[in-house]
């Protein structure tokens, strides 16, 4: 079996397993490659079928092998019992079951950031090799294994994506660029729809709007580096004078990155511009709302961090 054939065989199993186990497929494949030497090790071959070097016994079956362990700063050879499986498929399913059984692996469940899980699996005690995480990451990147994290069997559609949805919840590893590509929109559209002041700063659990509410009309825009009022007016088929008027701009040549501009006077959203001494609690009390409501409406990652001049939706 070639390396490419091994990837496809294990990748198909890992992709299907991920739907049930929530263990990232690319991690599973990379570990299988690393632990079994592409399925060619004696432990991985018949009659043992142990792809992941998991020790102990499986339903009473085990085999004994010498193995290298990194202990007290040195490599040494030890003899150990390893689980023996009827097939690679059962080895892979047991690997995911291990991660879903022990509390120390809880940080791997539902975590779809391949770099993060590769670091965590080593920190959680899966392997003693100090280079284990970097080896996994290199394998994933070299063989583009993240493609198995999204594809579905016998289909080019993505099992984890509903392209008709109007909202998306950020997961570990997401960037605005990757989300935009996934839903066939632009980063600027996401920024404008969600009033994002820093396109490089989104957080896990954040709810992003993917489509504007009524007739695809965008009512506000967050100023980006290089923007001018003239360019923004041209982009949204309006005039500089109109934008200046509805946003109370006295100097049409002076706008700043992160500033939220109303594009229409008809926008029903009430806004407030942060001044020195403000905090979310004070603003919430002033307008008869809650801090949580302000956080959600403005996609605020850190409730303790707001800045003078920031325009908040109330």
């Amino acid at each position: 079996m070639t390396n490419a054939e091994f990837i496809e065989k294990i990748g198909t199993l890992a992709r299907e397993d991920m739907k049930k186990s929530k263990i990232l497929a690319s991690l599973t494949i990379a570990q299988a490659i690393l632990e079994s030497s592409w399925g060619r090790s004696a432990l991985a071959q018949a009659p043992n079928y142990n792809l992941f070097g998991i020790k102990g016994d499986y339903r009473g079956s085990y085999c004994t092998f010498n193995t290298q362990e990194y202990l007290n700063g040195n490599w040494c050879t030890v003899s150990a019992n390893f689980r023996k499986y009827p097939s690679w498929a059962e080895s892979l399913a047991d690997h995911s079951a291990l991660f879903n059984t022990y509390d120390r692996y809880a940080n791997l469940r539902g975590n779809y950031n391949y770099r993060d899980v590769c670091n965590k699996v080593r920190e959680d005690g899966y392997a003693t090799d100090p280079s284990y995480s970097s080896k996994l990451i290199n394998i994933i990147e070299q063989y583009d294994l993240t493609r198995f994290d999204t594809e579905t069997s016998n289909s080019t559609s993505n099992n984890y994506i509903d392209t008709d949805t109007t909202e998306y919840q950020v997961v570990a590893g997401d960037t605005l660029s990757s989300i935009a590509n996934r839903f066939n929109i632009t980063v600027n559209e996401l920024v404008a729809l969600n009033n994002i002041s820093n396109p490089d700063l989104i957080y896990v659990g954040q709810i992003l709007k993917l489509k504007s509410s009524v007739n695809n009309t965008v009512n506000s825009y967050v100023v980006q580096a290089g923007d001018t009022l003239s360019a923004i007016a041209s982009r949204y088929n309006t005039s500089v004078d109109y934008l200046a008027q509805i946003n109370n701009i006295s100097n049409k040549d002076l706008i700043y990155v992160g500033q939220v501009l109303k594009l229409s006077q008809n926008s029903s959203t009430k806004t407030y511009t942060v001044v020195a001494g403000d905090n979310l609690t004070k603003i919430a009390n002033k307008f008869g709302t809650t801090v949580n409501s302000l956080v959600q409406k403005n996609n605020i990652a850190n409730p303790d961090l707001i800045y003078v001049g920031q325009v908040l939706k109330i």
Side-chain angles (χ1 to χ4, degrees):
M1 181 181 295
T2 66
N3 289 356
E5 289 170 338
F6 182 80
I7 287 176
E8 290 303 316
K9 182 176 182 63
I10 301 305
T12 299
L13 293 172
R15 180 177 54 203
E16 294 302 314
D17 175 81
M18 179 178 168
K19 298 176 188 177
K20 305 184 293 289
S21 69
K22 307 302 181 187
I23 300 302
L24 194 64
S26 56
L27 171 67
T28 300
I29 304 164
Q31 284 195 280
I33 291 171
L34 184 59
E35 296 285 351
S36 73
S37 297
W38 298 92
R40 300 183 185 113
S41 70
L43 182 60
Q45 290 287 303
N48 304 311
Y49 297 109
N50 188 328
L51 286 169
F52 302 96
I54 299 177
K55 296 175 181 176
D57 68 89
Y58 180 72
R59 299 175 182 171
S61 295
Y62 65 90
C63 50
T64 304
F65 281 89
N66 288 335
T67 183
Q68 291 287 303
E69 298 284 357
Y70 191 80
L71 302 172
N72 300 318
N74 295 293
W75 286 102
C76 59
T77 301
V78 298
S79 179
N81 292 338
F82 293 86
R83 299 183 186 186
K84 185 176 180 180
Y85 300 97
S87 67
W88 279 355
E90 289 188 62
S91 174
L92 190 146
D94 189 50
H95 169 264
S96 293
L98 180 79
F99 288 161
N100 276 296
T101 299
Y102 292 99
D103 290 341
R104 72 175 188 267
Y105 295 120
N107 52 17
L108 304 180
R109 302 165 198 163
N111 187 341
Y112 298 148
N113 181 326
Y114 75 90
R115 285 180 165 271
D116 193 41
V117 295
C118 286
N119 285 314
K120 282 184 167 55
V121 74
R122 197 264 172 189
E123 293 169 5
D124 295 341
Y126 190 92
T128 58
D129 181 356
S131 302
Y132 192 75
S133 297
S134 60
K135 289 176 181 177
L136 293 177
I137 291 170
N138 289 337
I139 290 171
I140 290 173
E141 293 178 345
Q142 181 177 353
Y143 297 100
D144 189 27
L145 300 185
T146 55
R147 68 185 188 273
F148 292 97
D149 297 336
T150 55
E151 294 176 356
T152 56
S153 181
N154 300 320
S155 171
T156 57
S157 64
N158 190 316
N159 195 47
Y160 302 97
I161 297 171
D162 177 4
T163 54
D164 292 326
T165 190
T166 59
E167 292 184 338
Y168 174 75
Q169 185 171 16
V170 177
V171 299
D174 276 340
T175 64
L176 278 190
S177 179
S178 68
I179 296 169
N181 289 336
R182 189 176 308 173
F183 291 98
N184 196 30
I185 55 180
T186 67
V187 170
N188 277 343
E189 285 177 304
L190 283 176
V191 167
L193 284 168
N194 296 278
N195 294 323
I196 296 172
S197 57
N198 184 351
D200 296 322
L201 182 60
I202 57 175
Y203 58 90
V204 173
Q206 182 176 358
I207 304 296
L208 297 179
K209 289 188 291 184
L210 302 173
K211 298 178 182 178
S212 51
S213 52
V214 181
N215 297 325
N216 256 1
T217 299
V218 177
N219 289 320
S220 63
Y221 175 76
V222 181
V223 177
Q224 306 298 301
D227 276 341
T228 64
L229 209 55
S230 175
I232 297 168
S234 176
R235 186 180 310 166
Y236 291 98
N237 298 315
T238 186
S239 69
V240 171
D241 287 342
Y242 180 71
L243 289 179
Q245 177 188 347
I246 65 174
N247 290 281
N248 298 316
I249 296 174
S250 56
N251 184 346
K252 298 171 188 176
D253 296 321
L254 183 59
I255 56 176
Y256 57 89
V257 173
Q259 183 176 0
V260 180
L261 299 179
K262 290 187 292 184
L263 301 175
S264 170
Q265 190 71 281
N266 296 325
S267 173
S268 60
T269 302
K270 183 188 295 185
T271 61
Y272 173 75
T273 303
V274 176
V275 299
D278 274 342
N279 57 49
L280 284 188
T281 300
K282 184 184 295 186
I283 297 168
N285 291 336
K286 182 174 183 177
F287 289 96
T289 185
T290 65
V291 170
N292 282 340
S293 176
L294 291 174
V295 166
Q296 291 176 5
K297 285 183 178 180
N298 295 279
N299 298 315
I300 296 174
N302 183 350
D304 296 322
L305 182 59
I306 57 176
Y307 56 89
V308 174
Q310 183 176 0
V311 179
L312 299 177
K313 290 188 291 185
I314 305 300

